[in-house]
Amino acid sequence: MRRRLLYILLSLNLLCAVGFTSPGATAPPGKPKVVEVVVREFEIVPKEIAVKPGEVLFVVRNTGAIEHDFAIEDAAAKSVARIAVIPPGKQEELRVALRPGLYTVLCTLPGHKDAGMKGMLNVQDSSS
Amino acid sequence: MEGSDLKDEQTYFLTRTDEWIWKKARELGISRRRFLGLLAAGAITAAGGSLLQKPRPGTAAPAPSELVVKPTPPDLFYDFGSNKEMRWEVMTNRGYVVPNELFFVRNHTRTPRIDVSTWRLRVEGTGVSQPLEFTYDDILNMPAVSVVRYVECAGNGRSFFERAYGKRASGTQWKLGAIGVAEWTGVPLRELLERAGLKRTARDVMPEGLDDLRVRRPMSVAKALEPDTLVVFAMNGQILPPDHGFPVRILVPGWIGVSNIKWVGRIEVSEQPLYSPWNTDSYVLIGPDYKSQPPAKGPILTYQNIKSALELPWDGEIPAGRRLVRGRSWSPFGKIVKVEVSLDHGATWQLATIRDPNAARTWARWDFLWDAKPGFYAIRVRATDEKGNTQPFRVPFNEQGYLYNAVVGHPITVK
């Protein structure tokens, strides 16, 4: 039973690691939903993220060889929140309260977005 | 049959070496002399064999996967991955220019290794009547000039935004070492544009790099035609090193660092305004004090601004006693005419003595005598240029952290 529980926990962790979070997984009050993201030359993994409205903690690891950043922009390309710099091999966190809507996650360093470092962040209630 | 003098080991080795040099030079389509120059500069290590390669101790030839080619040890540089910041204290008791091995590196990705035998520079677009392609030898055989100018990253000083505002601006957290002065030798860009039949209706010129991201950024035709806007092939009397743009880079004096495109393979000349991510998304001012300027997200950067730095270790220690403290100031707008120094948090200021040479678009060296007593200090420097530009005490925050030129307190402990 304990092994089975461990397996389930590991599986959930793996799902978070690949970053596609289920809209049905509601974060308990006070505890933000954790989304793990990898940034590297020149992509953001996962490319699509779905979360419920509310507090989200993005744990962003730079597995590339050069510096990157991580930003969230709304549909009007206005900056919502960002991590200013993530050195190569390092991990930074970003805690943000998100309202329903479609957002873009991207690296804003020169040329990185156009080279592929962008993804979609869908914030919606599971019922909608 | 070869001569009997080849029995001599040294003669034999030298003869074979010479044969190899001729062969490699022929393969690359360049002269023997030029090949030797490139080899000495480390610019064509990939083209060379083992015969002439004699790595210096501790400086093994870098693997292509390495981000930069030259050694950047921590006592000379701050390491930011593909970017390397010069430590200002290494310029103490040096000359006017920054030696190539100490020059800061700003790479958007990694230094590309360019094969000069296949490299070409294309000048094309609606703004020229006769698109042309230049080989490396074509460039080297054109009239060339040498100028002493600074190149500075637009984000030099970026880390100080966090000190001033409590929040970081995006990008490499430089202190003040993302600048260097060098003697640049190259062909005036005007020469290439005129040979390609520059039209009177041409408006913008956009050099494009051969790096992973094809870094490219436009400038006006007026700027491209200035006599010191160059297609550079040599730096401080040496063949342009790979990390600084081999085989050629553009020098756009006074403009922000990214305008000085490295590893150029193409120059687009257009009758229409040109845009790239490097003047719409990046290298623009974004923040509460700046409005968007579509298609750019904010005011587009062109000129740098006036700044100063001390030739002292950052947050380091120096012994107590009378000493000459040195530093440098620079402005894209004119000569430095005044440098003031404060040792008491800006309460009082003394004049530093400016030393020659002192010219626009490069830097002025200066110094002041300090009877340093034990304690902690934040040395402040404020420069003024001949156009009346003075370093401010505050710079509005911008998200990408450009143009921070406010007076900075340089921390130093006297023991």
Side-chain angles (χ1 to χ4, degrees):
Chain A
M1 182 65 187
R2 187 173 286 177
R3 180 173 286 183
R4 186 178 170 82
L5 185 64
L6 184 66
Y7 175 77
I8 291 168
L9 286 172
L10 280 171
S11 301
L12 284 172
N13 192 40
L14 190 65
L15 276 175
C16 279
V18 298
F20 204 102
T21 55
S22 162
T26 310
K31 274 197 167 182
K33 173 73 185 170
V34 177
V35 176
E36 294 188 8
V37 177
V38 167
V39 293
R40 59 183 173 231
E41 300 85 58
F42 284 101
E43 59 180 352
I44 292 179
V45 181
K47 286 192 85 64
E48 294 180 359
I49 302 167
V51 292
K52 297 187 87 170
E55 289 268 322
V56 180
L57 178 68
F58 290 91
V59 180
V60 187
R61 170 165 286 277
N62 178 0
T63 63
I66 65 176
E67 293 180 321
H68 294 292
D69 68 16
F70 180 78
I72 300 171
E73 291 184 351
D74 65 16
K78 193 176 174 191
S79 178
V80 173
R82 64 198 174 87
I83 300 169
V85 61
I86 312 168
K90 302 291 184 189
Q91 178 175 294
E92 301 285 344
E93 294 181 356
L94 176 67
R95 187 170 177 149
V96 58
L98 291 169
R99 292 179 177 176
L102 271 179
Y103 300 79
T104 302
V105 293
L106 69 156
C107 176
T108 70
L109 294 188
H112 290 205
K113 181 187 77 175
D114 292 274
M117 293 190 72
K118 62 183 171 187
M120 192 177 75
L121 170 61
N122 188 1
V123 182
Q124 62 174 13
D125 281 311
S126 53
S127 57
S128 60
Chain B
M1 191 177 213
E2 291 179 307
S4 60
D5 53 355
L6 291 191
K7 289 177 184 171
D8 176 73
E9 184 181 2
Q10 189 179 16
T11 307
Y12 168 77
F13 179 76
L14 290 174
T15 302
R16 289 290 178 262
T17 301
D18 205 44
E19 286 171 3
W20 181 85
I21 292 167
W22 278 109
K23 180 172 176 285
K24 288 293 178 186
R26 272 197 301 274
E27 285 173 6
L28 294 172
I30 58 178
S31 69
R32 176 181 182 279
R33 187 176 168 190
R34 192 150 293 140
F35 176 78
L36 287 173
L38 291 170
L39 201 65
I44 54 167
T45 50
S50 60
L51 195 57
L52 280 186
Q53 286 179 346
K54 294 177 182 173
R56 287 172 292 166
T59 57
S65 62
E66 288 182 10
L67 296 170
V68 301
V69 172
K70 70 182 180 184
T72 53
D75 56 325
L76 304 181
F77 292 93
Y78 296 104
D79 184 11
F80 296 107
S82 60
N83 299 320
K84 314 289 180 184
E85 177 175 2
M86 180 192 77
R87 288 180 178 270
W88 263 102
E89 62 267 34
V90 304
M91 289 305 293
T92 306
N93 299 324
R94 299 256 180 194
Y96 188 76
V97 301
V98 179
N100 293 356
E101 65 270 23
L102 300 180
F103 211 94
F104 83 101
V105 178
R106 168 63 174 118
N107 280 355
H108 284 84
T109 52
R110 66 188 72 240
T111 296
R113 280 62 167 175
I114 308 282
D115 180 353
V116 75
S117 66
T118 56
W119 174 86
R120 297 290 184 272
L121 174 56
R122 287 181 290 135
V123 180
E124 59 192 11
T126 58
V128 291
S129 58
Q130 188 186 342
L132 284 180
E133 200 171 76
F134 297 88
T135 66
Y136 188 57
D137 266 6
D138 289 338
I139 299 292
L140 298 186
N141 287 320
M142 292 171 75
V145 298
S146 294
V147 298
V148 176
R149 297 287 186 273
Y150 74 76
V151 170
E152 180 185 23
C153 176
N156 197 22
R158 177 180 286 124
S159 65
F160 301 118
F161 277 110
E162 186 174 14
R163 287 176 62 178
Y165 291 93
K167 58 180 177 180
R168 279 188 178 183
S170 286
T172 299
Q173 299 298 302
W174 309 108
K175 287 186 268 292
L176 286 165
I179 180 171
V181 168
E183 183 204 65
W184 308 96
T185 299
V187 180
L189 179 54
R190 167 195 286 266
E191 186 80 23
L192 275 69
L193 298 179
E194 288 178 350
R195 288 191 188 198
L198 181 68
K199 294 180 183 173
R200 293 172 63 88
T201 49
R203 299 180 67 187
D204 278 0
V205 176
M206 183 151 72
E208 183 177 309
L210 292 168
D211 52 312
D212 291 342
L213 292 176
R214 293 193 307 119
V215 175
R216 56 205 181 276
R217 193 170 199 268
M219 69 182 103
S220 62
V221 166
K223 185 63 182 172
L225 294 179
E226 284 206 320
D228 59 354
T229 299
L230 305 181
V231 178
V232 167
F233 57 80
M235 179 180 180
N236 289 326
Q238 296 180 320
I239 287 166
L240 191 63
D243 296 318
H244 300 291
F246 176 83
V248 300
R249 77 178 302 169
I250 301 293
L251 181 73
V252 190
W255 281 35
I256 59 170
V258 69
S259 305
N260 302 266
I261 299 289
K262 300 194 278 190
W263 317 293
V264 178
R266 176 175 180 261
I267 298 174
E268 181 180 359
V269 187
S270 177
E271 292 177 296
Q272 303 299 325
L274 293 173
Y275 296 98
S276 83
W278 284 266
N279 76 336
T280 53
D281 292 348
S282 301
Y283 299 100
V284 296
L285 295 168
I286 302 170
D289 293 272
Y290 303 101
K291 289 183 178 175
S292 70
Q293 291 185 355
K297 288 183 170 178
I300 298 172
L301 302 182
T302 53
Y303 283 94
Q304 295 276 10
N305 50 18
I306 185 169
K307 294 193 188 76
S308 303
L310 287 149
E311 295 173 9
L312 290 173
W314 186 264
D315 207 8
E317 289 180 8
I318 56 173
R322 245 172 111 76
R323 62 186 301 126
L324 198 64
V325 178
R326 293 192 175 94
R328 307 183 190 218
S329 299
W330 57 96
S331 167
F333 303 113
K335 289 168 57 173
I336 300 298
V337 294
K338 186 167 69 173
V339 177
E340 301 160 283
V341 179
S342 176
L343 300 164
D344 53 10
H345 308 288
T348 62
W349 295 82
Q350 60 175 297
L351 286 177
T353 304
I354 298 172
R355 308 294 180 184
D356 285 334
N358 181 10
R361 297 181 178 178
T362 179
W363 56 26
R365 302 176 71 201
W366 44 261
D367 52 62
F368 65 95
L369 265 174
W370 184 23
D371 189 8
K373 304 277 194 282
F376 176 79
Y377 298 84
I379 306 176
R380 288 169 168 77
V381 182
R382 181 174 59 184
T384 302
D385 69 23
E386 61 185 340
K387 298 285 171 55
N389 300 296
T390 300
Q391 288 184 253
F393 288 100
R394 182 181 174 277
V395 175
F397 183 84
N398 67 90
E399 287 185 4
Q400 297 176 351
Y402 298 129
L403 301 184
Y404 192 94
N405 73 328
V407 172
V408 169
H410 184 126
I412 197 85
T413 300
V414 178
K415 285 203 169 177

